[in-house]
Amino acid sequence: MADFPMPVFYSYPPYFTLQPVKETQRKQRESWKDLILSYCCHHRIFIVSLDAAADEFPLFENKAIQRKLSLEARSLLLEDLAASGRGRWLGPDRRRLLVLWRGVGEWADVIHAWARGNGLEDSVVSLEELLGGEDVRGSELAGMPRELLSAALRTLEERGKARVFRGDANDDTGVKFFA
Amino acid sequence: MLIGARHLISNGSPHLQESFKALGDHVNQTKLELMRSQMAVFKESLEQFALKYRSDIRRDPAFRESFHAMCVTIGVDPLASNKGIWNRLLGFGDFYYELGVQCVETCLVLRSSRRRGSAAEAVSADDVLKSLEKLSVLGGGLGVVTVGGSRYVRSQPMELSRDAADALDFAQRSGGFFSAPDLSASLGWAPARTEFTLQQLLRDGLTWLDLPPDAGAPCLYWVPAVGMEQAAAAYAAAHRLA
């Protein structure tokens, strides 16, 4: 967390209590929403879970002032992200959120640029390769969860920039990129 | 001589009356011209002064304040117009408009981050007051309220009750936050009066509620307007937190 500049409100205790007054709470949630997005972007965090232990996602607790967000507050913040299009729930139980600090369309661009940059146009790449192969390491694609990758590839398919060949099992799936 | 003159007029021939009228007009005309030329001289020296100290006026908030005070004393408002000579000389108009807009932005965003940056020109409290004065023509309740010893920029129309103002003053004195029992004790209020005032302050968005983690600890009420950074630091120091 050291190199990420925390906003002033992060050290201001009442920001960790869900405000009882509607308008104040709206401001509070707006500030948190921005912070979650920039924090996740900075640390390349893709998924935030309501069940996560504090050490997995330390943002919701500020030990320095002994404050943490309640489950209710955390859940509301993630709902806000989903409602504004900056997050997608993974699964119907709404416990894990895919945080879209880049929109799916943007990710599609990133993947396509990566494929071009690696000379992979008109060749088939396996999904597993995209999820953690040699070429992906250290690139913009590193760490992308399967759900996000699939969504971005669907977008590329719609744009006619890729074609996904689905095999029987997950590791059979391949992607062909077009220029 | 005046008596004589009146005497002559009352008795006098129409011819004499006309002569006196002509004389009177002439005197008035001379006076007016004298005034005009004095004004021109005066205006010129004021402009020269402004030009000579232009950079000081622009750079040094304290000097700027003194210059404004001088202008006000002699009935010139260098801020009155954005098109006039004064703006051409000093470029003030835009300075205060921009500062005013930044004040409003800060109010709206409710962030204490330094939006002007450290490289920005120095700004005095007087500058802020002037810029807000200019923007107050827009309505919208923009203004400055004084609570206790401090002045606050008000960004939305609201009436601050006496009790609410006292509570804000107490927040200022206690480092930006307080508990309900502290407030009652300090101002000698019955719990109901404290509760009513706190609800009002919360509703107006002037205080934020904070539930400390330790069970049994009273709720704290925070007043962001007093300064978030200082309050957070004061709290951390008081609780010996890192």
Side-chain angles (χ1 to χ4, degrees), chain A residues 62-169:
Chain A
N62 186 349
K63 289 204 167 80
I65 55 168
Q66 295 179 337
R67 293 292 187 282
K68 63 178 177 189
L69 288 171
S70 66
L71 180 63
E72 185 201 1
R74 282 182 283 145
S75 169
L76 274 174
L77 296 178
L78 297 193
E79 290 285 359
D80 285 348
L81 281 169
S84 66
R86 306 310 299 262
R88 274 190 198 181
W89 287 112
L90 301 173
D93 59 348
R94 297 163 102 80
R95 305 292 292 181
R96 294 166 73 240
L97 187 85
L98 184 63
V99 181
L100 295 170
W101 34 276
R102 267 191 194 130
V104 172
E106 275 175 85
W107 278 114
D109 294 337
V110 168
I111 292 168
H112 194 255
W114 172 87
R116 286 182 65 163
N118 285 277
L120 295 170
E121 282 152 335
D122 294 321
S123 51
V124 177
V125 185
S126 78
L127 199 62
E128 295 310 307
E129 181 68 27
L130 286 172
L131 279 169
E134 283 283 319
D135 294 343
V136 165
R137 238 165 271 162
S139 79
E140 283 289 307
L141 273 59
M144 271 181 92
R146 188 179 297 276
E147 294 90 341
L148 179 56
L149 190 65
S150 307
L153 288 176
R154 262 196 303 281
T155 302
L156 279 182
E157 273 191 306
E158 283 160 19
R159 293 182 191 164
K161 297 280 188 182
R163 174 123 192 254
V164 179
F165 302 94
R166 287 177 180 86
D168 298 335

Side-chain angles (χ1 to χ4, degrees), chain A residues 11-13 17 19 24 64 66-67, chain B residues 208-211 213 224 232 235 241:
Chain A
S11 303
Y12 200 63
T17 296
Q19 290 306 303
T24 313
Q66 295 179 337
R67 293 292 187 282
Chain B
W208 288 48
L209 180 68
D210 170 33
L211 305 172
Y235 178 80
L241 300 170

Side-chain angles (χ1 to χ4, degrees), chain A residues 7-32 34-35 62-68 70, chain B residues 108-113 156 176 199 202-205 207-214 220 222-225 227-229 231-232 235-236 239 241-242:
Chain A
V8 171
F9 83 75
Y10 193 69
S11 303
Y12 200 63
Y15 264 86
F16 288 81
T17 296
L18 203 57
Q19 290 306 303
V21 174
K22 203 172 150 196
E23 176 59 19
T24 313
Q25 189 187 104
R26 191 189 59 75
K27 284 182 197 159
Q28 177 188 29
R29 283 160 66 174
E30 193 66 27
S31 302
W32 271 107
D34 293 345
L35 175 61
N62 186 349
K63 289 204 167 80
I65 55 168
Q66 295 179 337
R67 293 292 187 282
K68 63 178 177 189
S70 66
Chain B
L108 292 182
V109 176
L110 196 90
R111 281 181 193 154
S112 60
S113 58
Q156 49 187 338
Q199 288 308 319
L202 283 172
R203 222 174 24 245
D204 288 343
T207 47
W208 288 48
L209 180 68
D210 170 33
L211 305 172
D214 8 318
L220 294 179
W222 295 72
V223 180
M228 289 168 66
E229 250 167 310
Y235 178 80
H239 292 256
L241 300 170

